Amino acid sequence: MRGARILGTGRALPPRVVTNAELTTLMDTSEEWIVQRTGIRERRFVEPGTGASDLGVTAARVAIERAGLTPKDIQFLVFATLSPDLFFPGAGVFVQEKLGLDTIGALDVRTQCTGFLYALSVAEAYVKSGFHDNVLVIGAEVQSTGLDMSTAGRDVSVIFGDGGGAVVVGPAEAGVGILSSHLHSEGKYARELMTEAPASAENPRISKEMLDARRHFGSMNGRSVFVHAVRRFPEAILEALSANGMAVSDLSIVIPHQANLRITQSVAKSLGIPPEKVFSNIEKYGNTTAASIPIALDECVSEGRIRSGDLVCLAAFGSGFTWASSLIRW
Ligand code: ACO
């Protein structure tokens, strides 16, 4: 079987910077609380009228160009998001239209913080098997329109931001590029981190009562998320290394989903990975869920922090609960 590698990366961050100080004018919180608990100093919010597909399209244009390709070369696309433009259809079809792609398959992935890695694994399998040559993988989120900006929602709202990232996956020699992907889920924790409404099990799916009860905003059991994240992130990284006969000391860099700086620091410590080998940009963008890994990957590539031959581990944990990893020989 042939290999599959990332041919190009891109990112899209809305220009509007929202500082912690701005949040303190909307809810009872403080710069100290946010920085101490999360490491976040600012995040980006879109202007009204921008959907996840718009950020995805901007990032995808860059990724396709950096891959040395044109939109006509893309044979399939996978879009990971928890904030699609509409309840249905998925965000992928808007990308197909806005980029002027052929009438290719467009698949949406709904695994939240691990969405990009699930989507990347689809591209990896399709390219390795020869089913498709060039697959576009996008992770993009507009969180800002779904946050409770009152004090009642402060535990969740201070964490999240908007953004998009994209990669193009194409053929490579066997043993180069994406070496393996590892995906997990544990649905008994589905309600620990969720947005309940609109819900198909409710009739109507959304009502004034549900809005009044703020069930259309995300909710999180922060303690549970923390406990499971600091266990599953290391497991996922070690699983990817073990599957390829490698050790932590072989890693050039780990790019974790940017959940929370304290989670990232705890993972690095428990695996004995020096902090400079664990990438973090949550200070600037907050938690952008499915977009955080492709944004971080694009920053690393652009800044020369990843070079040819490096061993890169991508890892994520999030709502579901789901967790995943991908090991890449760059
Ligand atoms: N500003 C000020 N105070 C706040 C805020 C805020 N934004 N949010 C919550 N608080 C208050 C709470 O109301 C609570 O007050 P109380 O003690 O008067 O009730 C207090 O701060 C403590 O909040 P907790 O978060 O419950 O703190 P706890 O001591 O239980 O710490 C922990 C738990 C581990 C710090 C946890 O909250 C945490 O950080 N979890 C990680 C969650 C996370 O980062 N998720 C990322 C998104 S999910 C993902 O990507 C995987």
Side-chain angles (χ1 to χ4, degrees), residues 225-258:
V225 167
F226 192 92
V227 167
H228 287 267
V230 299
R231 174 177 162 210
R232 298 306 192 183
F233 265 111
E235 274 182 18
I237 293 166
L238 292 176
E239 182 181 13
L241 289 168
S242 160
N244 293 281
M246 293 175 193
V248 165
S249 56
D250 293 318
L251 287 167
S252 309
I253 192 164
V254 176
I255 301 181
H257 159 55
Q258 304 289 300

mmCIF file of all heavy atoms in Angstrom, residues 225-258:
data_model
loop_
_atom_site.group_PDB
_atom_site.id
_atom_site.type_symbol
_atom_site.label_atom_id
_atom_site.label_comp_id
_atom_site.label_asym_id
_atom_site.label_seq_id
_atom_site.Cartn_x
_atom_site.Cartn_y
_atom_site.Cartn_z
ATOM 1 N N VAL A 225 -13.867 16.687 32.619
ATOM 2 C CA VAL A 225 -13.083 16.864 31.383
ATOM 3 C C VAL A 225 -11.596 16.819 31.711
ATOM 4 O O VAL A 225 -10.816 16.130 31.045
ATOM 5 C CB VAL A 225 -13.450 18.204 30.686
ATOM 6 C CG1 VAL A 225 -12.436 18.534 29.592
ATOM 7 C CG2 VAL A 225 -14.856 18.151 30.112
ATOM 8 N N PHE A 226 -11.216 17.525 32.758
ATOM 9 C CA PHE A 226 -9.790 17.580 33.116
ATOM 10 C C PHE A 226 -9.254 16.183 33.457
ATOM 11 O O PHE A 226 -8.230 15.754 32.923
ATOM 12 C CB PHE A 226 -9.592 18.543 34.293
ATOM 13 C CG PHE A 226 -8.158 18.886 34.538
ATOM 14 C CD1 PHE A 226 -7.585 20.000 33.938
ATOM 15 C CD2 PHE A 226 -7.349 18.092 35.343
ATOM 16 C CE1 PHE A 226 -6.254 20.317 34.138
ATOM 17 C CE2 PHE A 226 -6.018 18.398 35.550
ATOM 18 C CZ PHE A 226 -5.465 19.515 34.946
ATOM 19 N N VAL A 227 -9.977 15.486 34.305
ATOM 20 C CA VAL A 227 -9.517 14.161 34.766
ATOM 21 C C VAL A 227 -9.348 13.193 33.591
ATOM 22 O O VAL A 227 -8.341 12.485 33.485
ATOM 23 C CB VAL A 227 -10.521 13.594 35.801
ATOM 24 C CG1 VAL A 227 -10.268 12.122 36.059
ATOM 25 C CG2 VAL A 227 -10.456 14.396 37.091
ATOM 26 N N HIS A 228 -10.331 13.158 32.697
ATOM 27 C CA HIS A 228 -10.258 12.236 31.560
ATOM 28 C C HIS A 228 -9.211 12.695 30.543
ATOM 29 O O HIS A 228 -8.511 11.866 29.962
ATOM 30 C CB HIS A 228 -11.631 12.081 30.904
ATOM 31 C CG HIS A 228 -12.572 11.275 31.738
ATOM 32 N ND1 HIS A 228 -12.720 9.920 31.591
ATOM 33 C CD2 HIS A 228 -13.387 11.629 32.762
ATOM 34 C CE1 HIS A 228 -13.589 9.471 32.480
ATOM 35 N NE2 HIS A 228 -14.021 10.492 33.207
ATOM 36 N N ALA A 229 -9.107 14.017 30.326
ATOM 37 C CA ALA A 229 -8.148 14.529 29.329
ATOM 38 C C ALA A 229 -6.720 14.182 29.710
ATOM 39 O O ALA A 229 -5.942 13.734 28.857
ATOM 40 C CB ALA A 229 -8.309 16.045 29.191
ATOM 41 N N VAL A 230 -6.372 14.357 30.983
ATOM 42 C CA VAL A 230 -4.968 14.118 31.362
ATOM 43 C C VAL A 230 -4.634 12.629 31.352
ATOM 44 O O VAL A 230 -3.459 12.257 31.368
ATOM 45 C CB VAL A 230 -4.600 14.764 32.724
ATOM 46 C CG1 VAL A 230 -4.778 16.278 32.650
ATOM 47 C CG2 VAL A 230 -5.400 14.172 33.867
ATOM 48 N N ARG A 231 -5.660 11.770 31.287
ATOM 49 C CA ARG A 231 -5.401 10.338 31.141
ATOM 50 C C ARG A 231 -5.364 9.939 29.658
ATOM 51 O O ARG A 231 -4.470 9.222 29.209
ATOM 52 C CB ARG A 231 -6.525 9.576 31.850
ATOM 53 C CG ARG A 231 -6.455 8.098 31.641
ATOM 54 C CD ARG A 231 -7.541 7.381 32.434
ATOM 55 N NE ARG A 231 -7.739 6.046 31.919
ATOM 56 C CZ ARG A 231 -8.886 5.384 31.955
ATOM 57 N NH1 ARG A 231 -9.952 5.933 32.493
ATOM 58 N NH2 ARG A 231 -8.972 4.177 31.460
ATOM 59 N N ARG A 232 -6.328 10.427 28.883
ATOM 60 C CA ARG A 232 -6.474 9.966 27.491
ATOM 61 C C ARG A 232 -5.450 10.562 26.532
ATOM 62 O O ARG A 232 -5.043 9.893 25.570
ATOM 63 C CB ARG A 232 -7.893 10.261 26.988
ATOM 64 C CG ARG A 232 -9.005 9.550 27.763
ATOM 65 C CD ARG A 232 -8.794 8.046 27.823
ATOM 66 N NE ARG A 232 -10.002 7.368 28.322
ATOM 67 C CZ ARG A 232 -10.093 6.067 28.524
ATOM 68 N NH1 ARG A 232 -9.050 5.290 28.289
ATOM 69 N NH2 ARG A 232 -11.205 5.531 28.964
ATOM 70 N N PHE A 233 -5.050 11.821 26.739
ATOM 71 C CA PHE A 233 -4.022 12.409 25.856
ATOM 72 C C PHE A 233 -2.744 11.541 25.869
ATOM 73 O O PHE A 233 -2.272 11.124 24.802
ATOM 74 C CB PHE A 233 -3.673 13.836 26.288
ATOM 75 C CG PHE A 233 -4.406 14.942 25.569
ATOM 76 C CD1 PHE A 233 -5.351 15.710 26.222
ATOM 77 C CD2 PHE A 233 -4.120 15.245 24.241
ATOM 78 C CE1 PHE A 233 -6.005 16.752 25.577
ATOM 79 C CE2 PHE A 233 -4.769 16.282 23.580
ATOM 80 C CZ PHE A 233 -5.716 17.046 24.258
ATOM 81 N N PRO A 234 -2.178 11.274 27.050
ATOM 82 C CA PRO A 234 -0.951 10.448 27.054
ATOM 83 C C PRO A 234 -1.189 9.062 26.464
ATOM 84 O O PRO A 234 -0.342 8.548 25.722
ATOM 85 C CB PRO A 234 -0.580 10.362 28.537
ATOM 86 C CG PRO A 234 -1.233 11.539 29.173
ATOM 87 C CD PRO A 234 -2.493 11.776 28.403
ATOM 88 N N GLU A 235 -2.328 8.452 26.795
ATOM 89 C CA GLU A 235 -2.629 7.123 26.226
ATOM 90 C C GLU A 235 -2.587 7.152 24.703
ATOM 91 O O GLU A 235 -2.035 6.253 24.062
ATOM 92 C CB GLU A 235 -4.035 6.681 26.642
ATOM 93 C CG GLU A 235 -4.117 5.991 27.976
ATOM 94 C CD GLU A 235 -5.540 5.548 28.290
ATOM 95 O OE1 GLU A 235 -6.398 5.464 27.366
ATOM 96 O OE2 GLU A 235 -5.786 5.304 29.459
ATOM 97 N N ALA A 236 -3.206 8.186 24.128
ATOM 98 C CA ALA A 236 -3.293 8.274 22.663
ATOM 99 C C ALA A 236 -1.906 8.453 22.040
ATOM 100 O O ALA A 236 -1.589 7.851 21.010
ATOM 101 C CB ALA A 236 -4.215 9.436 22.271
ATOM 102 N N ILE A 237 -1.083 9.277 22.687
ATOM 103 C CA ILE A 237 0.276 9.516 22.163
ATOM 104 C C ILE A 237 1.096 8.224 22.249
ATOM 105 O O ILE A 237 1.757 7.825 21.281
ATOM 106 C CB ILE A 237 0.948 10.671 22.946
ATOM 107 C CG1 ILE A 237 0.209 11.986 22.657
ATOM 108 C CG2 ILE A 237 2.435 10.782 22.591
ATOM 109 C CD1 ILE A 237 0.544 13.129 23.606
ATOM 110 N N LEU A 238 1.022 7.549 23.398
ATOM 111 C CA LEU A 238 1.789 6.306 23.574
ATOM 112 C C LEU A 238 1.296 5.217 22.626
ATOM 113 O O LEU A 238 2.084 4.410 22.120
ATOM 114 C CB LEU A 238 1.705 5.839 25.034
ATOM 115 C CG LEU A 238 2.419 6.743 26.052
ATOM 116 C CD1 LEU A 238 2.183 6.241 27.470
ATOM 117 C CD2 LEU A 238 3.916 6.834 25.751
ATOM 118 N N GLU A 239 -0.011 5.181 22.361
ATOM 119 C CA GLU A 239 -0.557 4.177 21.438
ATOM 120 C C GLU A 239 0.025 4.368 20.031
ATOM 121 O O GLU A 239 0.416 3.394 19.368
ATOM 122 C CB GLU A 239 -2.091 4.296 21.386
ATOM 123 C CG GLU A 239 -2.739 3.257 20.482
ATOM 124 C CD GLU A 239 -4.257 3.389 20.422
ATOM 125 O OE1 GLU A 239 -4.800 4.423 20.878
ATOM 126 O OE2 GLU A 239 -4.891 2.456 19.901
ATOM 127 N N ALA A 240 0.106 5.628 19.598
ATOM 128 C CA ALA A 240 0.637 5.908 18.252
ATOM 129 C C ALA A 240 2.116 5.528 18.174
ATOM 130 O O ALA A 240 2.574 4.946 17.180
ATOM 131 C CB ALA A 240 0.440 7.383 17.917
ATOM 132 N N LEU A 241 2.871 5.853 19.227
ATOM 133 C CA LEU A 241 4.301 5.518 19.235
ATOM 134 C C LEU A 241 4.497 4.006 19.239
ATOM 135 O O LEU A 241 5.278 3.454 18.462
ATOM 136 C CB LEU A 241 4.979 6.145 20.459
ATOM 137 C CG LEU A 241 5.139 7.668 20.409
ATOM 138 C CD1 LEU A 241 5.544 8.214 21.773
ATOM 139 C CD2 LEU A 241 6.169 8.073 19.345
ATOM 140 N N SER A 242 3.739 3.321 20.111
ATOM 141 C CA SER A 242 3.882 1.874 20.240
ATOM 142 C C SER A 242 3.533 1.163 18.923
ATOM 143 O O SER A 242 4.210 0.214 18.524
ATOM 144 C CB SER A 242 2.984 1.417 21.391
ATOM 145 O OG SER A 242 2.709 0.071 21.290
ATOM 146 N N ALA A 243 2.499 1.645 18.242
ATOM 147 C CA ALA A 243 2.074 1.020 16.982
ATOM 148 C C ALA A 243 3.161 1.088 15.917
ATOM 149 O O ALA A 243 3.160 0.309 14.960
ATOM 150 C CB ALA A 243 0.804 1.699 16.466
ATOM 151 N N ASN A 244 4.092 2.034 16.083
ATOM 152 C CA ASN A 244 5.153 2.215 15.092
ATOM 153 C C ASN A 244 6.537 1.867 15.636
ATOM 154 O O ASN A 244 7.555 2.204 15.018
ATOM 155 C CB ASN A 244 5.123 3.667 14.587
ATOM 156 C CG ASN A 244 3.861 3.956 13.789
ATOM 157 O OD1 ASN A 244 3.774 3.588 12.621
ATOM 158 N ND2 ASN A 244 2.863 4.556 14.420
ATOM 159 N N GLY A 245 6.551 1.221 16.808
ATOM 160 C CA GLY A 245 7.816 0.792 17.395
ATOM 161 C C GLY A 245 8.711 1.953 17.791
ATOM 162 O O GLY A 245 9.941 1.858 17.694
ATOM 163 N N MET A 246 8.099 3.050 18.212
ATOM 164 C CA MET A 246 8.888 4.238 18.577
ATOM 165 C C MET A 246 8.638 4.613 20.033
ATOM 166 O O MET A 246 7.707 4.118 20.664
ATOM 167 C CB MET A 246 8.525 5.398 17.651
ATOM 168 C CG MET A 246 8.972 5.141 16.221
ATOM 169 S SD MET A 246 8.422 6.427 15.137
ATOM 170 C CE MET A 246 8.745 5.676 13.546
ATOM 171 N N ALA A 247 9.505 5.532 20.530
ATOM 172 C CA ALA A 247 9.423 5.951 21.927
ATOM 173 C C ALA A 247 9.237 7.466 22.006
ATOM 174 O O ALA A 247 9.446 8.182 21.019
ATOM 175 C CB ALA A 247 10.707 5.554 22.646
ATOM 176 N N VAL A 248 8.870 7.928 23.194
ATOM 177 C CA VAL A 248 8.671 9.366 23.413
ATOM 178 C C VAL A 248 9.914 10.159 22.992
ATOM 179 O O VAL A 248 9.816 11.245 22.424
ATOM 180 C CB VAL A 248 8.324 9.608 24.909
ATOM 181 C CG1 VAL A 248 8.461 11.074 25.271
ATOM 182 C CG2 VAL A 248 6.908 9.106 25.218
ATOM 183 N N SER A 249 11.097 9.572 23.242
ATOM 184 C CA SER A 249 12.346 10.287 22.918
ATOM 185 C C SER A 249 12.545 10.461 21.409
ATOM 186 O O SER A 249 13.356 11.280 20.979
ATOM 187 C CB SER A 249 13.536 9.540 23.523
ATOM 188 O OG SER A 249 13.523 8.197 23.053
ATOM 189 N N ASP A 250 11.802 9.701 20.594
ATOM 190 C CA ASP A 250 11.918 9.848 19.133
ATOM 191 C C ASP A 250 11.149 11.065 18.614
ATOM 192 O O ASP A 250 11.330 11.481 17.469
ATOM 193 C CB ASP A 250 11.367 8.602 18.417
ATOM 194 C CG ASP A 250 12.217 7.372 18.685
ATOM 195 O OD1 ASP A 250 13.456 7.509 18.662
ATOM 196 O OD2 ASP A 250 11.644 6.294 18.931
ATOM 197 N N LEU A 251 10.244 11.613 19.426
ATOM 198 C CA LEU A 251 9.353 12.682 18.946
ATOM 199 C C LEU A 251 10.110 14.000 18.732
ATOM 200 O O LEU A 251 10.887 14.416 19.595
ATOM 201 C CB LEU A 251 8.227 12.922 19.952
ATOM 202 C CG LEU A 251 7.139 11.857 20.017
ATOM 203 C CD1 LEU A 251 6.270 12.073 21.261
ATOM 204 C CD2 LEU A 251 6.286 11.894 18.753
ATOM 205 N N SER A 252 9.840 14.650 17.605
ATOM 206 C CA SER A 252 10.385 15.988 17.378
ATOM 207 C C SER A 252 9.463 17.022 18.009
ATOM 208 O O SER A 252 9.914 18.017 18.574
ATOM 209 C CB SER A 252 10.499 16.275 15.876
ATOM 210 O OG SER A 252 11.179 15.242 15.218
ATOM 211 N N ILE A 253 8.143 16.804 17.876
ATOM 212 C CA ILE A 253 7.176 17.757 18.431
ATOM 213 C C ILE A 253 5.826 17.060 18.607
ATOM 214 O O ILE A 253 5.463 16.175 17.816
ATOM 215 C CB ILE A 253 7.051 19.020 17.528
ATOM 216 C CG1 ILE A 253 6.275 20.138 18.249
ATOM 217 C CG2 ILE A 253 6.416 18.693 16.186
ATOM 218 C CD1 ILE A 253 6.439 21.518 17.606
ATOM 219 N N VAL A 254 5.119 17.452 19.656
ATOM 220 C CA VAL A 254 3.724 17.025 19.859
ATOM 221 C C VAL A 254 2.842 18.250 19.643
ATOM 222 O O VAL A 254 3.117 19.316 20.203
ATOM 223 C CB VAL A 254 3.505 16.482 21.282
ATOM 224 C CG1 VAL A 254 2.034 16.144 21.507
ATOM 225 C CG2 VAL A 254 4.379 15.259 21.524
ATOM 226 N N ILE A 255 1.818 18.090 18.819
ATOM 227 C CA ILE A 255 0.839 19.167 18.659
ATOM 228 C C ILE A 255 -0.481 18.653 19.225
ATOM 229 O O ILE A 255 -1.206 17.905 18.569
ATOM 230 C CB ILE A 255 0.684 19.577 17.172
ATOM 231 C CG1 ILE A 255 2.037 20.031 16.625
ATOM 232 C CG2 ILE A 255 -0.361 20.675 17.034
ATOM 233 C CD1 ILE A 255 2.001 20.470 15.185
ATOM 234 N N PRO A 256 -0.785 19.045 20.475
ATOM 235 C CA PRO A 256 -2.050 18.600 21.055
ATOM 236 C C PRO A 256 -3.182 19.539 20.665
ATOM 237 O O PRO A 256 -2.938 20.733 20.417
ATOM 238 C CB PRO A 256 -1.786 18.677 22.561
ATOM 239 C CG PRO A 256 -0.761 19.745 22.722
ATOM 240 C CD PRO A 256 0.023 19.830 21.430
ATOM 241 N N HIS A 257 -4.389 19.018 20.640
ATOM 242 C CA HIS A 257 -5.558 19.903 20.580
ATOM 243 C C HIS A 257 -5.407 20.925 21.688
ATOM 244 O O HIS A 257 -5.086 20.577 22.826
ATOM 245 C CB HIS A 257 -6.842 19.073 20.760
ATOM 246 C CG HIS A 257 -8.003 19.893 21.214
ATOM 247 N ND1 HIS A 257 -8.423 21.013 20.534
ATOM 248 C CD2 HIS A 257 -8.816 19.783 22.308
ATOM 249 C CE1 HIS A 257 -9.447 21.549 21.172
ATOM 250 N NE2 HIS A 257 -9.709 20.823 22.248
ATOM 251 N N GLN A 258 -5.639 22.192 21.355
ATOM 252 C CA GLN A 258 -5.426 23.271 22.327
ATOM 253 C C GLN A 258 -6.671 23.395 23.202
ATOM 254 O O GLN A 258 -7.546 24.236 22.986
ATOM 255 C CB GLN A 258 -5.122 24.576 21.591
ATOM 256 C CG GLN A 258 -3.928 24.481 20.641
ATOM 257 C CD GLN A 258 -2.606 24.360 21.373
ATOM 258 O OE1 GLN A 258 -2.236 25.242 22.139
ATOM 259 N NE2 GLN A 258 -1.883 23.262 21.150
#
